[in-house]
Amino acid sequence: MFKGLRLALLSCLILVPVFFKASADELKIGYVNLERVFREAPAAIKASKKMQEEFEERKREPLRIENDIKSRQASLSEKGASLSDSQRRAKEAELTEMSVSLQRRQQVFQEDLKIRQNEETSAILEKANKAIFEMAKAERWDLILQEAVSVSGRIDVTDKVIRKMTGD
């Protein structure tokens, strides 16, 4: 029992001077809201527009194929009774093959989109981190956080970071 008490007392004696030193030297702490950086930074807005343009045509193609499949299914439903069994099965097989092909194309599209989004996100995050590091060094910040539960507006340096990113 006394051993645990001694250890706690010794820990306090060691840490108290550290806390007094930290409070004697004023800490300069900041916070960056990365969600805002990704929403408002010109580099992020430009990347978003670039990706929309890049994937716009590829996004329309599956929709066109899907509409074609639906119209063929409607046609088969209407005229299916007048077709022979083999003709109807052939058309159903063709529709099934088209649907599978469409699903593959959509999956490839989603994978490509996700890869490009990750690339752009990484590039923006790298720019933001570079701006944060340069700002912290130039303005002698002790600590800059990117995640927090609650943040006072007086330590929010997100606008400065966005401006710094714009200047690069």
Side-chain angles (χ1 to χ4, degrees):
M1 168 144 170
F2 288 111
K3 196 173 192 177
L5 183 60
R6 276 191 212 159
L7 184 60
L9 185 58
L10 183 60
S11 298
C12 287
L13 290 174
I14 291 171
L15 293 177
V16 166
V18 172
F19 288 125
F20 282 126
K21 170 106 173 81
S23 66
D25 299 337
E26 192 173 317
L27 288 176
K28 195 170 180 183
I29 299 173
Y31 167 75
V32 177
N33 183 334
L34 284 179
E35 288 180 25
R36 270 192 57 214
V37 170
F38 283 114
R39 243 188 358 257
E40 298 174 14
I45 294 168
K46 183 179 175 183
S48 177
K49 287 180 182 177
K50 180 181 170 185
M51 285 192 45
Q52 281 180 337
E53 291 171 2
E54 184 178 330
F55 284 91
E56 188 62 34
E57 182 59 37
R58 285 185 62 191
K59 192 177 185 179
R60 279 189 238 141
E61 184 183 348
L63 292 174
R64 186 177 41 78
I65 294 171
E66 188 175 356
N67 289 336
D68 184 37
I69 291 171
K70 286 179 182 177
S71 68
R72 288 180 184 214
Q73 283 176 334
S75 175
L76 181 62
S77 294
E78 290 173 7
K79 299 176 184 175
S82 64
L83 297 174
S84 69
D85 248 5
S86 61
Q87 288 175 324
R88 189 176 39 77
R89 274 185 267 163
K91 294 227 182 252
E92 287 173 349
E94 181 182 349
L95 285 172
T96 301
E97 185 179 319
M98 287 176 71
S99 294
V100 169
S101 175
L102 174 63
Q103 287 175 353
R104 284 189 197 125
R105 282 181 180 211
Q106 287 173 328
Q107 185 177 10
V108 168
F109 172 79
Q110 290 298 325
E111 289 170 0
D112 290 349
L113 180 63
K114 189 170 196 94
I115 288 169
R116 286 290 291 129
Q117 284 174 334
N118 288 340
E119 289 171 356
E120 293 297 333
T121 300
S122 294
I124 294 165
L125 185 59
E126 188 176 315
K127 286 180 183 179
N129 284 336
K130 181 181 176 194
I132 292 167
F133 181 75
E134 289 173 358
M135 185 186 76
K137 189 174 181 180
E139 297 180 18
R140 302 179 58 106
W141 289 87
D142 296 309
L143 176 67
I144 296 183
L145 303 169
Q146 292 180 344
E147 290 186 29
V149 175
S150 177
V151 176
S152 167
R154 67 183 176 83
I155 67 168
D156 191 342
V157 294
T158 306
D159 290 329
K160 283 184 174 183
V161 171
I162 291 172
R163 284 193 301 271
K164 181 98 172 132
M165 288 174 68
T166 304
D168 288 344

